[in-house]
Structures are given as C-alpha cells and as structure tokens.
Amino acid sequence: MQPPKGKLIPIGGKEARGPEDEKADVLQPVDFSEHGILKEILAEMRGCESRLLVIPAASSIPDEMGDMYLDAFGHLSCPHVEVLNVRDRRQADSKKSLQLLAEADGVFFSGGDQNRLTRCFADTEFLTLLRQRYERENFVVAGTSAGAMAMAKHMITEGDSAEPVLKGLVGTAGGLGLFPEAIIDTHFMNRGRLARLTEALLLHPRCVALGLSEDTGVVVSQGDHLRAIGSGVVLVVEADEIGQTNYKRAKKGDPVFIENLRMHILAREACYSVRERRFVAEAAAVPAG
Amino acid sequence: MLVKGTLVAIGGNEDKGTGRRPLHEKDTPQKFVSSGILFRVASEMKHPDAPIEIITTASSIPEKVGRDYQRAFRRLGRRHVNVMHLETPAEAADPDVLARVAEAGCVLFSGGDQLKLVLALRDTPLAELIHERYLHEPVVIAGTSAGAMAMSDLMMYPGSPRADGLAPELDLQPGLALVHDAIIDTHFLVRGRFRRLAIAVSEQPQHLGIGLEEDTGVVIRRGNQLETIGSGLVTIIDGRSLQEANPTVAKSVHEIFIENLLVHVLAHGNNFTLRGRKIS
C-alpha cells in the first residue's frame, strides 16, 4: 500500500489564535506569525494562498467557533478560509459541502465533542472523499482537541482525567480512521491525562499513544513521520516492551500496574517515526517508488 | 550495609481523617483508620507508644499544620504526637530538639517549601541524627509533599522566573539524601508534573524519578524495597536507556528532546526494587 501523500496535523487544543495568545510561560515561546500552529498548517499547503475549510462540526457553538477561526486566520492574512457548518450526515453529503471539500487544499476540524464529530461524518461520501484526497494528494487534514482525537481509528471517547489507571476507565470507539497507527489525546500536560492515554494504549497495544499538550501538535507525513510543532511538548508512549502488568486479568475498576512503558518527549522540530519507534532525522524520507 | 529504618514518602494531601473526601476516593479507596497513608506511617512504627515528631519547618502555616497532624494521629490512637518548627540550623542543633528526635519512633516532615526545610536542616546535628537513626534503628521517617521531595539526594526546586520572561528553570538542589539515586516529585498527576520530572531525569539519568500522586505514597524498606500505598498512582521514570545515544538526537540542537524513558505505573500494593529497577 502506498503511504498517504497528504498530511495530518493533530493539535492538543488551545492553539494560539493571534499574537495576543503567545505564551511566555512555556519552555519554548513561539512567534504566532512565524511558527504558530496555524501558520504551520498554512505552510504545509500553499501558505497565505491556501484554501482552507474550517469545520466546526464537533462544537456546540459552531457559529462562534467558525468566526473565531476566520479571525485567527485573518491575522495571518489568509483570505481563502471558509467555514463549513454541517450538523448531520445529510448536510455533510450536500452538494455544497462536497464541492467545498473538492476545492480546498485542506480542512481544519475544531474542538468540541469528538463523538458528535464522528456521528456527523460516519459512512458519508464526504469522509470517503476526504480520505481519498488525503491519500492521493498533498491535502492537509488538521484538527484540534476533539478534532485531533477523532483522527485515530481507536478514538478515546470518555475517561476521567487525573485518576490512576483503573481497568475500564477509558472507552474507545471508531474514529475517522485517518491515522490508524495512533491513539491521540489532547490538552495533555495541562489536564494530567497520562492514565487515560495509557489505558487507551493498553486496549490497542500495537498503536503508539500521542499525548499532545495545548498549543502543540504534530505534522504527520506519509502516515508515519511526525514533526512536532507549537510551544509545548508531545509525549509518545509505546507498549511494545511492556513487562509485568495485571491489565488482562484485572476486573473493571481494579487498579492496574504496568512495567516498562517506553516514552519519548518531543518538542518543536523533533521528528519521530511511528514505524521505527524512534527519533529520526528532521526531513521526512522520500517515499520509495 | 542494610538500612534498618523505614521511609514513607507521600505525594501530599493525604487523607487526615477529617471526613473530607480524598481525591481518589473512587479509585483505590483506603480507609483512614485501617489502610490509609497515615495509618501506614503509624503502623510501620516498631513501638506504637513511641512519640511521633512532626517537623513543620517547610510550612508557612506551621501551627495549623502541626495541629492537623496531631489530630490525625490521635484519630489513629496515637497520643504522643509533638510538633517542632525549626527556622535555622542553630535551632536544629538545640540539645532539647536532639533529645526529642533521639526518642521518637517516627519523624514526619510536613509540606511547604522544600528549600526552607533543607536550608534549616542540612549539615546540622539534627540531620545527622535522623540519618544515623534511619540507617541503624527501626525508626520511621515520613515526609509529605515538600517533606517528601526533600528526602532524595537531588531535590527539585523551581527557580526564580527568568528576566527574559521564559519559564522558570527547574533547579536540582542537594536534599537530605535519605534516598539515593532518586528524584522525588509530588502532587504528580493533579498538577501535571510528568514533563518536569522527565526533564530532571533526563538531566540526571542515573537518578530514578519517583512521581507521587496526592494521597499516595511509597514505603521504602532496607533502602531498596518500595511498596506503593494510598489511593492514587505512583509513576516511576527510569532514564538509564537515555544513554543509548541515538546519533540523530545527539546532533540535534534542541533542549527538550527525550528519547527512551522507561516508565512504570504502580498502584496500591505493588512492590518495586530501587536497585533492580523492576516490579518485584
């Protein structure tokens, strides 16, 4: 199978939406108009000329959310941003929606509720076209918070944050399946979600788990190569070498222990290969063939 | 040499039997009077009637903190609970203080500011006495929050904000060195401290990172055998494999790349050996 030609950009939420959002109290402050997350998204397409479709389908306040991103991309002098406000599968497959998708260089899924997002696009022509464009063209699929979590095949649907690993704490359901090798969690360092990411990984141990901090994301090329962007860090957790654990025999609600989770921390410009399970050189390798 | 004392390091906010719901009540609930953290501290004492000395030096509200612990241990049936607040190394050399600690069955360092605690105690006759007794006698040394962070040989301390507005750097200061080759962090999950402990471990990879959640702790016996207690989770970060240099990373100019941390997640009742770095 050919690796996808497009790029995925999952983001941990609360990405800077204007110069006023630049954070000073982070390990590596990022200039909004140079290396801010939204700028990085545009850079993966055609810069300020990019035609980007903002899709606030996960949000309970889609109109406000859409306006906010129009403003945010306006700060970056990107005039070709449109909001596609669809609330259900019928609207997702409307002629207008499909037309806008066909003309765009990329889409941006807002935050909100990831279940609402997947309900809206499950088994739609829209999703089929999105996947085709991602696989065959230099097309960008970006998403923040719920919009990032939904990119996975095994999407985290529930689970309390600051709690120990307890069996049965976390549920996963079918996501949009654009990034089947990863489990994605967001708002990561800010909300202490290590336990929930870890349990989701134990449910699907062949995946790698990505914990995206706020104002932090990864650009995924060829469905494999991650490059960190933004002001925070990305935690990568691998389950391939797990030693002792009671996870399989634990009953629901039992505390779980786990030996030998392997973790990496990526900061801006660090690159990691999901297939090789290690840090790699900065430029993505040219795909064979 | 075999360490005779027992150490109990606690992540802060342990249940004090006041009826306030502990943070992880839903998770691995412990009964204050029969399995909670302070019950475990008291029950590790060889002589139940020996005095407990609470050292409130780290705290900015020592009277309240001292009273809270006196009440908590009284609820557990312990009568001889005394409080001492030592502001300076001179006070930590006071013969009366030394005499009390020499008789104690348990010494507990309260939370607060770990640097305040270490500056008042380090290299004093009191610190030496605690150390000697910990090595040679079945005494219990407990510490919560800052009092736990101060126990390791390297202690995390947030530095002052930098002039350029960047995040304050995290300093590693010498601690009281009751636990060797370890860096202890507390309030670990609720305050999202994974990153800061991971960075500390990556700077000092021969040191094991021990992240203690609130109302959660570790009992360390013989200086080596660690047992997890309490309602939350203990995260152990092992940075040994960081030294397997990946040439890609070695060339990199960035500071916050950390490849190959081994992480263990422990719940109530799990045992771990510090020297073997394994679940046992």
Side-chain angles (χ1 to χ4, degrees), chain B residues 58-79:
Chain B
S59 177
S60 57
I61 43 165
E63 290 85 9
K64 179 180 183 318
V65 167
R67 269 198 313 274
D68 287 351
Y69 279 105
Q70 285 181 314
R71 281 194 197 121
F73 281 111
R74 277 189 200 128
R75 286 189 192 103
L76 294 165
R78 302 299 158 126
R79 286 167 205 287

Side-chain angles (χ1 to χ4, degrees), chain B residues 153-198:
Chain B
D153 46 2
L154 280 183
M155 176 181 81
M156 284 211 273
Y157 194 74
S160 40
R162 292 169 17 169
D164 54 9
L166 292 180
E169 282 186 50
L170 198 66
D171 283 339
L172 287 166
Q173 303 260 354
L176 299 177
L178 294 161
V179 189
H180 293 286
D181 301 326
I183 302 169
I184 297 176
D185 205 351
T186 56
H187 307 277
F188 193 67
L189 296 175
V190 279
R191 297 195 190 166
R193 287 179 162 175
F194 184 87
R195 180 177 71 181
R196 91 174 197 184
L197 186 59

Side-chain angles (χ1 to χ4, degrees), chain A residues 179-190:
Chain A
F179 196 7
E181 295 84 5
I183 308 258
I184 301 170
D185 206 352
T186 56
H187 303 280
F188 194 69
M189 293 295 173
N190 317 65

Side-chain angles (χ1 to χ4, degrees), chain A residues 164 257 259 261 263 265 279, chain B residues 27 258-259 261 263 265 270 279:
Chain A
F257 66 88
E259 189 177 41
L261 288 164
M263 300 196 188
I265 293 181
F279 282 41
Chain B
D27 303 339
I258 305 179
E259 187 175 33
L261 289 170
V263 176
V265 174
N270 286 150
I279 290 182

Side-chain angles (χ1 to χ4, degrees), chain B:
Chain B
M1 191 194 54
L2 222 53
V3 175
K4 294 254 171 58
T6 301
L7 217 67
V8 185
I10 307 160
N13 255 336
E14 65 284 351
D15 183 8
K16 296 186 184 67
T18 52
R20 237 182 67 201
R21 305 176 124 208
L23 181 66
H24 295 294
E25 189 188 38
K26 278 190 294 176
D27 303 339
T28 20
Q30 306 300 327
K31 291 207 173 67
F32 176 73
V33 291
S34 59
S35 66
I37 300 253
L38 296 182
F39 168 82
R40 289 300 301 269
V41 169
S43 62
E44 292 293 333
M45 290 167 62
K46 193 158 182 230
H47 302 291
D49 296 331
I52 297 173
E53 294 289 345
I54 311 293
I55 300 183
T56 58
T57 300
S59 177
S60 57
I61 43 165
E63 290 85 9
K64 179 180 183 318
V65 167
R67 269 198 313 274
D68 287 351
Y69 279 105
Q70 285 181 314
R71 281 194 197 121
F73 281 111
R74 277 189 200 128
R75 286 189 192 103
L76 294 165
R78 302 299 158 126
R79 286 167 205 287
H80 305 294
V81 186
N82 311 312
V83 178
M84 54 176 72
H85 186 73
L86 313 164
E87 292 275 4
T88 60
E91 289 176 49
D94 179 38
D96 293 341
V97 165
L98 295 173
R100 278 168 60 185
V101 169
E103 291 302 312
C106 169
V107 174
L108 184 144
F109 299 112
S110 78
D113 176 341
Q114 60 269 36
L115 193 58
K116 210 170 129 199
L117 173 65
V118 166
L119 290 180
L121 259 64
R122 199 165 61 205
D123 302 325
T124 62
L126 177 63
E128 196 175 318
L129 174 64
I130 290 173
H131 209 251
E132 282 297 303
R133 292 202 63 206
Y134 170 64
L135 292 180
H136 301 298
E137 297 178 46
V139 66
V140 177
I141 314 292
T144 182
S145 190
M149 295 179 73
M151 286 176 164
S152 45
D153 46 2
L154 280 183
M155 176 181 81
M156 284 211 273
Y157 194 74
S160 40
R162 292 169 17 169
D164 54 9
L166 292 180
E169 282 186 50
L170 198 66
D171 283 339
L172 287 166
Q173 303 260 354
L176 299 177
L178 294 161
V179 189
H180 293 286
D181 301 326
I183 302 169
I184 297 176
D185 205 351
T186 56
H187 307 277
F188 193 67
L189 296 175
V190 279
R191 297 195 190 166
R193 287 179 162 175
F194 184 87
R195 180 177 71 181
R196 91 174 197 184
L197 186 59
I199 290 172
V201 169
S202 72
E203 284 171 7
Q204 301 286 338
Q206 73 282 19
H207 281 66
L208 194 68
I210 303 178
L212 304 173
E213 174 56 337
E214 294 186 357
D215 194 39
T216 306
V218 291
V219 178
I220 301 174
R221 297 191 184 83
R222 294 189 287 283
N224 184 37
Q225 289 293 330
L226 179 151
E227 179 193 346
T228 306
I229 59 173
S231 63
L233 180 88
V234 173
T235 309
I236 307 264
I237 305 182
D238 180 351
R240 273 179 310 177
S241 47
L242 290 172
Q243 286 144 329
E244 296 161 12
N246 173 338
T248 313
V249 183
K251 267 190 296 184
S252 138
V253 292
H254 302 280
E255 289 172 41
I256 329 161
F257 287 7
I258 305 179
E259 187 175 33
N260 282 345
L261 289 170
L262 273 187
V263 176
H264 314 292
V265 174
L266 308 179
H268 184 83
N270 286 150
N271 292 293
F272 186 87
T273 67
L274 292 178
R275 282 194 281 274
R277 299 193 166 190
K278 274 181 157 62
I279 290 182
S280 55

